[in-house]
Amino acid sequence: MTGTSRRTVLAATAAAGLAVAAGAPAAHATTAGRTPTREPFGTLADGTKVYRWTLSNGGTRLRVLSYGGVVQSLEVPDRRGRTANVSLGFDNLADYAAKSPYFGGLIGRYGNRIAEGRFTLDGVTHQLPVNDGPNSLHGGDRGFDKRVWDVEPFTAHGEVGLVLSRTSPDGEAGYPGTLSVRVVYTLTARGEWRIDYSATTDRATVLNLTSHTYFNLAGEGSGSIDGHVLELAASRYTPVGATLIPTGELAKVARTPFDFRRAGVIGEAVRTPHEQIGYGQGIDHNYVLDKGLTSRPEYALTVTEPGSGRVMKMYTTEPGMQFYTGNFLDGTLTGTSGRVYRQGDAFCLESQHFPDSPNQPSFPSTVLRPGDTYRSTTVHAFSTR
């Protein structure tokens, strides 16, 4: 692709993020945030200790690992005030290290797929680890979700959170440039979970950070997400080929199973005959958000679970949203509830730039250059109905 610099996105400040999310119904009664707490969560094979941090605010409780920035659990109440963990994960470090399909992970350097694990930037071709058929997925076989992060807690202005940081050295996983990354997880007084990403580099590189949380709003381990209802503000999506790399087309969702412009039942869409559904064994596609790339997080989607009444709205600065319906969960993984996870037991909604953008000049650029700052913000707002 050309050397055009990735457009710098100005992330919202804490106040701006709250103002944007204020369009959503108040999730829970406002409560004072408690100081984040830390506890041991195991030791890696190389002797590195891993910790689990717990954040509570506004009726939401978030548990985060220093390993991979992993969201190990996310607890929110239902319409009767009963709290449940709505994210998939493991109860031990060994499973995260050995077999996690990115459960709750902080993804980088590049969220989603890059064709053949290769891209050319400023005339130089860079080869990445290939870990998804012929392609590189989520930063390769040892991406940011498999690295230990420095973590600093904070409590301020009614909010609680964690600042996660690390330096990714030049050449790590084949990517050019020494990258300094800072990711802030915040729980607001309204119980919203906000993620603010920022990064700088000393050499031109490509970057696409996201969170890979698997959600089931009925509760982790409760079974299929088929009955969840999704409304997604996207009129187009990026069709893929057999290895799930975008063809380059921005196709209309109209008259396809990918049309969630009006709220639709996820299970009905997944079971609709369509060549694209066959490629992904379900939905595993990037949606082109109607709002485009924005300087502040704007509305993208609403997911509702009718049985519990739980609702999650997402606001983001990103131009794309990967919707994945847990197609490759196969009953071999046992979660925090002690129940196995089967196909369709969770969904992911990953705010992002488009897959394979480094090889698709018509897609929004993911190039980051020295002197520029990568910024991105996504807000998850919880409520009930």
Side-chain angles (χ1 to χ4, degrees):
M1 68 184 296
T2 66
T4 304
S5 176
R6 183 197 192 278
R7 176 179 172 185
T8 300
V9 182
L10 298 177
T13 61
L18 284 170
V20 171
H28 324 296
T30 300
T31 58
R34 296 199 294 258
T35 301
T37 60
R38 188 185 80 163
E39 61 187 322
F41 194 76
T43 304
L44 294 171
D46 65 0
T48 302
K49 293 181 179 179
V50 171
Y51 296 93
R52 181 173 72 173
W53 291 85
T54 299
L55 310 176
S56 297
N57 205 10
T60 298
R61 182 161 65 177
L62 182 69
R63 289 192 170 101
V64 177
L65 306 183
S66 57
Y67 176 81
V70 163
V71 173
Q72 196 251 344
S73 71
L74 174 62
E75 299 174 44
V76 295
D78 65 9
R79 65 165 64 93
R80 297 182 181 178
R82 298 174 300 190
T83 299
N85 175 23
V86 298
S87 68
L88 273 58
F90 298 118
D91 63 2
N92 66 90
L93 179 60
D95 282 351
Y96 279 109
K99 53 188 178 183
S100 176
Y102 308 101
F103 281 153
L106 200 172
I107 302 299
R109 288 191 188 189
Y110 199 95
N112 221 303
R113 296 174 175 88
I114 294 180
E116 299 181 351
R118 186 181 304 121
F119 67 92
T120 300
L121 178 60
D122 295 342
V124 178
T125 298
H126 301 275
Q127 181 64 53
L128 315 172
V130 170
N131 63 324
D132 183 59
N135 307 313
S136 184
L137 175 65
H138 294 329
D141 50 4
R142 195 171 177 223
F144 286 2
D145 63 299
K146 297 176 179 65
R147 306 284 181 172
V148 175
W149 292 69
D150 294 328
V151 182
E152 291 293 335
F154 67 87
T155 303
H157 308 296
E159 298 181 338
V160 297
L162 302 172
V163 179
L164 297 94
S165 59
R166 73 176 299 263
T167 298
S168 174
D170 182 33
E172 182 175 76
Y175 288 88
T178 299
L179 190 76
S180 297
V181 188
R182 184 176 186 266
V183 180
V184 182
Y185 291 167
T186 303
L187 287 186
T188 74
R190 294 164 54 90
E192 298 151 331
W193 171 35
R194 189 176 67 244
I195 311 174
D196 293 292
Y197 308 87
S198 62
T200 57
T201 184
D202 65 356
R203 180 182 172 196
T205 191
V206 296
L207 188 62
N208 191 28
L209 303 178
T210 192
S211 172
H212 206 294
T213 300
Y214 285 69
F215 294 99
N216 185 321
L217 297 183
E220 177 273 336
S222 64
S224 172
I225 49 91
D226 279 0
H228 285 58
V229 177
L230 173 65
E231 176 189 270
L232 180 55
S235 302
R236 296 175 296 167
Y237 76 108
T238 52
V240 298
T243 67
L244 303 182
I245 294 294
T247 63
E249 179 186 6
L250 305 183
K252 294 180 179 179
V253 300
R255 295 182 294 280
T256 77
F258 300 94
D259 191 354
F260 290 96
R261 291 173 297 172
R262 292 185 178 179
V265 179
I266 290 175
E268 293 178 2
V270 170
R271 283 163 179 75
T272 301
H274 194 281
E275 180 182 52
Q276 289 291 311
I277 298 288
Y279 285 151
Q281 300 180 37
I283 297 175
D284 190 6
H285 291 73
N286 170 67
Y287 280 76
V288 180
L289 296 176
D290 290 340
K291 71 173 192 62
L293 184 69
T294 51
S295 61
R296 293 185 177 185
E298 295 185 8
Y299 175 78
L301 62 90
T302 301
V303 188
T304 304
E305 200 288 300
S308 66
R310 292 188 182 93
V311 178
M312 181 177 74
K313 293 190 176 186
M314 289 180 66
Y315 305 78
T316 187
T317 57
E318 290 296 287
M321 184 72 67
Q322 185 80 9
F323 179 35
Y324 169 60
T325 52
N327 314 327
F328 301 111
L329 298 174
D330 60 4
T332 62
L333 303 176
T334 301
T336 51
S337 62
R339 299 184 180 94
V340 298
Y341 298 145
R342 301 185 184 278
Q343 186 179 48
D345 278 358
F347 63 88
C348 299
L349 287 160
E350 305 154 60
S351 53
Q352 61 176 14
H353 271 55
F354 305 167
D356 199 37
S357 290
N359 297 310
Q360 306 261 3
S362 64
F363 288 177
S365 177
T366 54
V367 175
L368 177 67
R369 296 190 178 279
D372 290 340
T373 299
Y374 172 104
R375 297 189 190 276
S376 175
T377 297
T378 295
V379 178
H380 307 74
F382 301 99
S383 61
T384 59
R385 63 175 57 161

